[in-house]
Amino acid sequence: MLKPSWAAVMLASCCSAAQAENAIERISIYANRLPTAESQVLASVTVLERDDIVSRQATDLPTLLAQMPGINIARDGGRGQNSSLYLRGGNSGHTLVLIDGVRTGSATLGYKALAMVPLELIERIEVIRGPRAAWYGADALSGVIAISTRKAQGTEINANVGSFGQAGTDLSVSQQVGDLTVSATAGYSRADGFNVRKDLDADRDGYQQRFAKVAAEYQSTVGTWQAQFDINSGFNQFDTAWGTEDEADTLSRSYLLGWQHAVGEWQHQAQLSRVLDDDTSFGPDSRSPFVTERDEVNYQTSTSLTEQLTGLAGVNWYSEDVARSGVNYVIDSRINRAFFTGMSFKQQQLQLEGSVRRDVTDQYGGNTTWQLAAGYFFSEAWQVRASRGAAFKAPTFNDLYYPGSANPDLAPEQTVSDEVAIHYRASNGSIQLVWFENDVDNLIQFDMATFMPQNIEKAQISGAELVINVDVAEIQQQFAYSWIDTENTLTGQRLVRRPENTLNWRAERQWGKISAFVSADYQSNTYQGPFASQEYLGGFTVWGVGASYPVSNSLIVRANLANLFDKRYQTNASYTTAGVNFGLSLSYRPQ
């Protein structure tokens, strides 16, 4: 799906004018595949724009996502090392990651590795909590993380240094000639890191990374044409108790061609893409490459059928291939074909939405997913909404065909999710309280007894979220609390690495030119499983502070301290996390 920038800008302008001076309406691009004011979306959505991302001064993408409602991150060390994401208690593979509307991630692993996605290339992040398979197909069981990469405007130079030998720089430029706009961003970062497992190697585990993006956009009488090329290559070290491989080369490369056009009441969008994901682990005795490719075609059209009714329909096709690997897969390619459609109705205080999608693959048959939602505004401030949706996840190539530890008889995971929410909005903030429940049938879990993945009968996930944004006494505060109850019905145990309670708090204030913030992130203890070095890990709270200062109209200095009180904690058994660490960055934009 293309990011409809022209429509989003128009809608944002209209919504902003209608809000109070200190409240800017955020726009959801991906929740309904159309730009929609966040207050009109019948789902739980959090949007971070580029200014939000920069002001938080997070060291990497997993650190940033861990500060958002409903998300927990389990890290195998620091920056560059593997991170597992759990959205509303779902597995890592239950969250679909889109980058510029393109499905991403390794077809062998079944999810996107987030640790090496550079924040410097990100313009916008939209997190949709709750199933969205009726719009996007497989993998969107727990939600969708939609990332929009940067489109440079003018020239900008950034540089940063920090603890553990962290250093990086990036340059963005753009040029407009008539109806053609060309932009480019390139950068480099590295760190010595720290020893992520003291019971194994005594060395530091660092990383290096290079990334670049080149994009062009052309306005014509028959629509807007977009083309872009992204490349992100890197190297990271890690510690593992399995074998001797403790280093990895990574490469992500994508090509994208898009078109969008408005003809009367009809909006048309089309997109072609190719994504390569290469992860090669190596050590003194072996080398294990895993290279997968995905070609994808998207088309959608939408129109206002009446003043109250809007309709959308589209088709999606993608092929996944194991292009190269260190082992032989019995089957190394598959094709998915899909059709989706949906409608939204709004009249006075009432909103109704419905969507349905049919996916058919040559590997595991067909799956139909659907979504229904309703919302009612009791007043301009109070809204209640409810939704129910079905979703599925296909078994990965590793699940089905990895030699010695695969199960070709696996069935797709199936879920039905319910959500009820009440939302209050005021001129100085908002409060949202959400209850959700997700029943997962045929959950795929790795069985250490048989050393292969198995479909367990069912997993049950339920929880609640309280999200508060408020501006009081010139202090902007963001508060998010999540309670999650998970159970593997086969064993009666909680699902691993899902804390029952999570709290994120951030407060920011402006003093003249100086802007400063303080943050606190808490999670309760986590069950690690019977085969982990520690069956349970204790809870913890991590504090952070930061500030920014514009030296001039062109130069901004930012500094922060993370893990302020040097808390010793773990999110994955045996793996250490960073102690107190600092960061310093400069941003220069010629006027």
Side-chain angles (χ1 to χ4, degrees):
M1 191 197 100
L2 283 178
K3 177 183 176 181
S5 55
W6 54 272
V9 170
M10 291 176 63
L11 186 56
S13 300
C14 295
C15 292
S16 296
Q19 299 294 313
E21 289 184 2
N22 61 342
I24 299 175
E25 181 73 273
R26 299 299 177 99
I27 304 300
S28 170
I29 304 296
Y30 292 96
N32 299 323
R33 297 186 73 103
L34 289 173
T36 307
E38 191 176 341
S39 61
Q40 304 297 314
V41 176
L42 300 181
S44 298
V45 179
T46 301
V47 177
L48 294 182
E49 302 290 354
R50 179 65 187 170
D51 288 346
D52 303 316
I53 296 170
V54 171
S55 69
R56 286 176 179 258
Q57 299 191 50
T59 54
D60 60 2
L61 180 57
T63 301
L64 179 67
L65 292 174
Q67 301 172 5
M68 300 179 72
I71 294 180
N72 298 109
I73 300 289
R75 307 198 67 144
D76 296 354
R79 183 166 178 175
Q81 278 79 46
N82 182 60
S83 298
S84 299
L85 180 143
Y86 304 97
L87 176 58
R88 279 192 173 175
N91 288 341
S92 290
H94 291 176
T95 299
L96 176 63
V97 177
L98 303 173
I99 297 182
D100 292 326
V102 177
R103 174 183 291 267
T104 64
S106 166
T108 51
L109 286 176
Y111 59 87
K112 177 67 176 176
L114 300 173
M116 293 292 279
V117 177
L119 276 178
E120 295 85 352
L121 269 183
I122 298 178
E123 183 69 29
R124 188 177 194 273
I125 300 174
E126 182 174 336
V127 178
I128 305 128
R129 302 184 294 282
R132 271 299 180 263
W135 286 127
Y136 297 105
D139 305 343
L141 284 79
S142 297
V144 173
I145 296 176
I147 296 171
S148 300
T149 57
R150 294 190 64 188
K151 289 185 178 179
Q153 296 181 350
T155 300
E156 183 176 340
I157 304 171
N158 299 291
N160 67 82
V161 295
S163 299
F164 312 115
Q166 170 64 39
T169 184
D170 62 271
L171 169 67
S172 298
V173 295
S174 68
Q175 182 66 48
Q176 183 171 350
V177 181
D179 294 324
L180 176 66
T181 301
V182 180
S183 61
T185 298
Y188 169 83
S189 64
R190 52 89 62 201
D192 297 325
F194 55 90
N195 187 6
V196 302
R197 282 197 64 165
K198 297 179 180 179
D199 59 327
L200 297 175
D201 297 333
D203 64 333
R204 288 186 169 192
D205 299 292
Y207 82 98
Q208 292 183 10
Q209 184 176 42
R210 297 174 180 85
F211 52 88
K213 172 187 175 180
V214 179
E217 182 175 293
Y218 180 70
Q219 305 281 348
S220 74
T221 56
V222 292
T224 300
W225 300 85
Q226 297 170 316
Q228 69 182 52
F229 167 71
D230 297 83
I231 185 168
N232 176 22
S233 65
F235 159 84
N236 66 82
Q237 299 166 311
F238 58 92
D239 289 342
T240 177
W242 298 88
T244 60
E245 296 176 357
D246 60 358
E247 300 179 63
D249 288 328
T250 62
L251 172 66
S252 176
R253 191 168 60 216
S254 67
Y255 307 86
L256 186 151
L257 178 64
W259 167 81
Q260 53 188 355
H261 190 39
V263 181
E265 294 293 323
W266 291 86
Q267 314 275 348
H268 300 275
Q269 298 181 48
Q271 184 169 271
L272 306 175
S273 63
R274 162 165 277 203
V275 177
L276 176 143
D277 188 285
D278 182 344
D279 192 316
T280 301
S281 301
F282 60 92
D285 303 320
S286 61
R287 187 175 184 87
S288 303
F290 289 91
V291 182
T292 62
E293 294 178 332
R294 184 181 293 106
D295 296 311
E296 187 172 5
V297 180
N298 271 299
Y299 169 77
Q300 73 176 51
T301 183
S302 61
T303 189
S304 297
L305 301 172
T306 68
E307 189 175 338
Q308 295 82 24
L309 188 64
T310 299
L312 184 150
V315 292
N316 173 242
W317 176 97
Y318 61 88
S319 67
E320 296 178 316
D321 297 276
V322 182
R324 184 163 56 94
S325 67
V327 297
N328 293 321
Y329 291 85
V330 176
I331 296 176
D332 59 9
S333 65
R334 62 189 181 194
I335 294 176
N336 191 90
R337 307 169 183 85
F339 167 81
F340 56 88
T341 187
M343 289 189 177
S344 62
F345 174 83
K346 182 179 180 182
Q347 186 171 33
Q348 296 178 343
Q349 295 98 337
L350 179 66
Q351 285 181 258
L352 300 172
E353 291 178 0
S355 55
V356 64
R357 174 172 168 136
R358 177 68 175 174
D359 286 85
V360 178
T361 178
D362 53 6
Q363 190 179 43
Y364 51 83
N367 284 273
T368 301
T369 50
W370 49 269
Q371 188 99 28
L372 296 171
Y376 187 82
F377 283 92
F378 290 99
S379 67
E380 291 185 2
W382 288 96
Q383 181 201 36
V384 64
R385 58 178 172 83
S387 63
R388 165 168 274 213
F392 80 102
K393 176 174 175 56
T396 69
F397 283 97
N398 282 356
D399 291 333
L400 295 167
Y401 308 119
Y402 193 91
S405 61
N407 183 354
D409 297 323
L410 287 173
E413 298 172 287
Q414 307 278 352
T415 71
V416 175
S417 301
D418 296 300
E419 180 173 329
V420 177
I422 186 166
H423 202 147
Y424 173 76
R425 298 176 180 85
S427 61
N428 67 330
S430 64
I431 301 174
Q432 180 174 250
L433 179 62
V434 182
W435 170 88
F436 60 88
E437 185 171 271
N438 189 4
D439 292 331
V440 187
D441 291 315
N442 297 323
L443 180 70
I444 298 174
Q445 296 279 275
F446 195 82
D447 187 341
M448 294 297 292
T450 62
F451 208 72
M452 66 172 56
Q454 301 283 357
N455 289 116
I456 69 173
E457 182 179 349
K458 181 176 285 189
Q460 294 180 331
I461 303 170
S462 59
E465 293 170 355
L466 175 64
V467 180
I468 302 173
N469 294 285
V470 64
D471 187 351
V472 177
E474 300 183 348
I475 300 176
Q476 298 176 358
Q477 297 193 66
Q478 299 161 353
F479 173 92
Y481 169 74
S482 298
W483 170 78
I484 296 178
D485 181 33
T486 66
E487 181 185 3
N488 177 336
T489 57
L490 188 65
T491 64
Q493 281 283 8
R494 288 160 54 180
L495 299 180
V496 298
R497 302 188 192 128
R498 279 78 154 181
E500 186 175 1
N501 299 283
T502 305
L503 187 150
N504 307 101
W505 173 74
R506 174 184 168 89
E508 186 171 1
R509 194 184 192 283
Q510 190 88 22
W511 286 277
K513 291 185 176 182
I514 298 177
S515 177
F517 73 85
V518 58
S519 65
D521 299 293
Y522 163 81
Q523 73 173 46
S524 59
N525 68 348
T526 55
Y527 174 64
Q528 296 291 302
F531 298 99
S533 59
Q534 294 175 258
E535 190 172 2
Y536 283 88
L537 294 178
F540 58 87
T541 302
V542 177
W543 292 81
V545 294
S548 65
Y549 178 76
V551 179
S552 67
N553 291 334
S554 302
L555 181 64
I556 298 177
V557 179
R558 299 181 179 89
N560 75 292
L561 280 172
N563 196 357
L564 182 62
F565 300 110
D566 199 25
K567 180 70 175 180
R568 302 299 177 180
Y569 67 98
Q570 295 177 328
T571 56
N572 192 2
S574 299
Y575 289 92
T576 61
T577 51
V580 60
N581 60 97
F582 80 94
L584 177 67
S585 65
L586 302 174
S587 295
Y588 178 71
R589 184 188 292 270
Q591 297 296 308

